[in-house]
C-alpha cells in the first residue's frame, strides 16, 4: 500500500478519534440551549445554531492555519495542544459544560453559536495539528465534526462510558499532534531526529500531566 495513503488513513483515524474525544461538550451545549423550546422550534434552533457553529469552525480553522505561519506560533500552538490533552485526560467524570436554556428561537441559536465557538478552539486546533494544515484532510476533519456536533452528545457519552480508554487515546493523539506542530516549526531549525524525540516527549508529557491533573482533581474532590 502506498505510504502516503497509509499516512492519510492514519491522520483520518486521528481526526475521528479527536472528534469523539473532544466533541461531547459541544453536542451537549446544543441540547441544553434548546431544551426549553417547543419541539418544532427546538429542531429549528438545533439546525440553525449548528449551521452557524459549523461555519464559524471553518473560519476558525482557516484563521488558525494562517496564524500558524507566524514565527514560533506553531510552537505556541503545540504547547497549547499539550495543555488541551492534559485537560482532556484529567477531566473528572461528571464535569461538563453548562449553558442557560433559552426561551426563544433567536436566543437559543445565538447561545449555541457563541458557546460552541468558545469551546471549539481545542477541537479546531487538534484537527489542524493532526492534519498538519493539509487542506483536504482539514476539510474532511471539519466535515466529520458535523454529525458529531448534531447527533453526538448521547453517542459520545455512551462511547466514553463503554471505552474510557478513548479519553487517554485522544490525549495521546493531542500530545503527538503537539509534537508534530513544534517539530515542524521551521523557525526552531530542528533535525528530523529531534522532531521524533519532541513528538515522543510531548506525548509522554501530556499523558503524565493528564494523570497528575486527574489525581489532583480527585484529591481536591
Amino acid at each position: 500500500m502506498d505510504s502516503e495513503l497509509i499516512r492519510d488513513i492514519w491522520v483520518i483515524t486521528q481526526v475521528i478519534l479527536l472528534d469523539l474525544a473532544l466533541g461531547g461538550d459541544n453536542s451537549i451545549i446544543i441540547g441544553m440551549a434548546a431544551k426549553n423550546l417547543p419541539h418544532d422550534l427546538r429542531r429549528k434552533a438545533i439546525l440553525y445554531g449548528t449551521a452557524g457553529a459549523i461555519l464559524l469552525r471553518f473560519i476558525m480553522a482557516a484563521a488558525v492555519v494562517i496564524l500558524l505561519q507566524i514565527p514560533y506560533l506553531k510552537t505556541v500552538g503545540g504547547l497549547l495542544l499539550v495543555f488541551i490533552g492534559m485537560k482532556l485526560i484529567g477531566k473528572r467524570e461528571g464535569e461538563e459544560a453548562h449553558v442557560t436554556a433559552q426561551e426563544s428561537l433567536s436566543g437559543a441559536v445565538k447561545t449555541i453559536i457563541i458557546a460552541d465557538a468558545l469551546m471549539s478552539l481545542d477541537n479546531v486546533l487538534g484537527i489542524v495539528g493532526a492534519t498538519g494544515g493539509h487542506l483536504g484532510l482539514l476539510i474532511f476533519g471539519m466535515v466529520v465534526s458535523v454529525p458529531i456536533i448534531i447527533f453526538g452528545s448521547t453517542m459520545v457519552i455512551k462511547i466514553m462510558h463503554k471505552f474510557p480508554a478513548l479519553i487517554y487515546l485522544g490525549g495521546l493523539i493531542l500530545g503527538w499532534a503537539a509534537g508534530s506542530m513544534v517539530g515542524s516549526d521551521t523557525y526552531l531549525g530542528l533535525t528530523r531526529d529531534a522532531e521524533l524525540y519532541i513528538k515522543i516527549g510531548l506525548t509522554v508529557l501530556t499523558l503524565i500531566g493528564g494523570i497528575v491533573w486527574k489525581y489532583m482533581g480527585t484529591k481536591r474532590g
Side-chain angles (χ1 to χ4, degrees):
M1 189 180 290
D2 184 81
S3 60
E4 189 170 337
L5 178 60
I6 294 175
R7 175 190 169 278
D8 289 349
I9 292 172
W10 167 235
V11 170
I12 289 170
T13 302
Q14 291 182 70
V15 167
I16 293 172
L17 288 170
L18 285 176
D19 275 325
L20 286 173
L22 295 170
D25 280 351
N26 302 75
S27 301
I28 292 168
I29 282 173
I30 294 175
M32 292 181 68
K35 70 177 182 179
N36 286 350
L37 296 176
H39 182 69
D40 56 332
L41 289 182
R42 190 183 309 154
R43 293 181 63 184
K44 287 183 179 179
I46 291 174
L47 179 63
Y48 299 156
T50 301
I54 291 166
L55 178 60
L56 268 181
R57 283 188 180 217
F58 275 99
I59 294 172
M60 288 167 65
V64 168
V65 171
I66 293 171
L67 288 173
L68 288 179
Q69 307 307 312
I70 297 175
Y72 301 108
L73 209 58
K74 268 193 172 183
T75 299
V76 174
L79 296 177
L80 181 57
L81 272 186
V82 170
F83 172 77
I84 292 170
M86 289 180 179
K87 184 179 178 183
L88 176 64
I89 294 173
K91 183 178 179 180
R92 286 189 295 167
E93 192 172 345
E95 289 181 352
E96 56 186 37
H98 290 279
V99 296
T100 304
Q102 300 296 315
E103 304 293 339
S104 68
L105 176 62
S106 61
V109 171
K110 187 189 302 182
T111 298
I112 289 170
I113 293 174
I114 293 174
D116 186 84
L118 291 174
M119 294 186 61
S120 292
L121 180 60
D122 56 357
N123 191 286
V124 170
L125 192 57
I127 291 175
V128 171
T131 60
H134 185 288
L135 182 60
L137 293 174
L138 181 58
I139 291 173
F140 174 83
M142 301 304 291
V143 170
V144 167
S145 300
V146 174
I148 294 177
I149 297 171
I150 300 175
F151 308 112
S153 56
T154 302
M155 177 188 72
V156 169
I157 290 170
K158 286 181 179 178
I159 290 174
M160 292 305 175
H161 281 304
K162 192 168 184 179
F163 305 105
L166 185 62
I167 291 290
Y168 289 89
L169 184 56
L172 291 173
I173 290 173
L174 284 169
W176 188 264
S180 297
M181 289 181 72
V182 175
S184 63
D185 192 332
T186 55
Y187 295 95
L188 296 179
L190 300 171
T191 64
R192 186 169 295 274
D193 286 341
E195 289 182 26
L196 178 60
Y197 293 140
I198 286 175
K199 288 179 182 178
I200 295 172
L202 291 184
T203 302
V204 172
L205 176 63
T206 303
L207 176 61
I208 294 174
I211 293 172
V212 171
W213 189 319
K214 182 182 286 288
Y215 171 75
M216 295 300 291
T218 304
K219 198 172 180 180
R220 286 195 302 270

